[in-house]
Amino acid sequence: MSGPTHAFESRGLCRGAALTLVFASVLATGAATGSLPHGDGAAIKARAVASTADRDEVAHAAAEALADGKSATEAAEEAVSRSGDRWGAVYDEREYEEFEQALDGSYTGVGLAAKRSADGLVAVARVQPGGPAGRAGIKRDDLLRTIDGHRVDKRPVAEVVALLRGDRTSAAAGTTVVLGVQRGATGPTRTLTLTRARLLTEAVTVQKLGPNRSDSSAAVLIKVDSFTKGAGAKVRDAVRSAPAGAGVLLDLRGNSGGLVAEAVVAASAFLDGGLVATYDVHGEQRALYAESGGDTERPLVVLIDGGTMSAAELLTGALQDRGRAVTVGSRTFGKGSVQMPSKLAGGSVAELTVGHYRTPAGRSVDGHGITPDLAVSARALQRGETVLSGLGGGS
């Protein structure tokens, strides 16, 4: 839900199942294809056999550990580690429930996003309105000095996020976390006790661009933080509600992915049907298609960076390959793998890689990422607005 410099306290969608396919909905959208563009049939078959063997090994390890009175989850994690599956992951029951709730657009926390400040401290990047942190008076750019008595000044942001969220026993609504918060480098540090709550994420935000945002023809910025349930429809509705002829700046920077079906719906907002991506599952080749009726005329610029991952890369690749958008920013992360969940003995869940997807032109994203049409290392938003204006979309 964030770029490389900041993170929200909810579980990152990129862990293990960032490209989780909710297969009931995806298969309703996709259809089998004869072959993947530029695909190697023997390699695909080999991957399918390997992933099946890995799945059986993980399941066996969990069952054997449980029978011996040991932790089935830990045994499964060790088996996944040995398999070499870069994106494989094992969740206990509570963790997987949290993960599914995150994909549904909710999480347990205090409503804080953290970032690294210019002087190397940990600062508040964003406060969710109405959340525990917001009600306590915490504001953007406040410094987080301690969490439950632990100094966090120089800790990695990911560790700070983990402390905010809590461990396996404390990360639940109704539990408390004590923060030491400082306003400004010289201000006093306040001690605040916050109670974690179930919160809804704001995956899609919309605003007008340019100096005269009251102008009815002003371009529109659609920021998509993650593809949780309903995100695709929000993108589609935002495009339909935009002024006639106004351009769209679609910001996918820091989008760690989510539900592929939602990315397909978002693609449908800009395409009149046609191919969005192809993918294989245990060697069976399938495809994802956009719905017809999308806006194919409105100028479109897509912002991407190294934090753009999985489902967000799928959307970017589709719009780029089909000549629908100009992409601006830096190379994306490069996660183009598909995971499927399987329940293990003891109730834990393993998510193992079962295939990979390709863009409409047959490009493999996994390990490569997507190179933008216009490479920009700084001021990407401003450059995107300039490009959009040049396309006749205003700003």
Side-chain angles (χ1 to χ4, degrees), residues 263-264 267 271 274-278 288-290 314-315 317-318 322 358-360:
V264 172
L271 301 171
L275 187 64
V276 173
T278 54
L288 300 169
Y289 295 96
L314 180 153
L315 172 59
R322 296 187 56 183
R358 294 177 181 268
T359 69

Side-chain angles (χ1 to χ4, degrees), residues 206-210 212-221 243:
V206 184
Q207 67 182 66
K208 289 187 176 181
L209 290 170
N212 187 10
R213 297 183 182 183
S214 61
D215 188 339
S216 60
S217 63
V220 175
L221 171 67

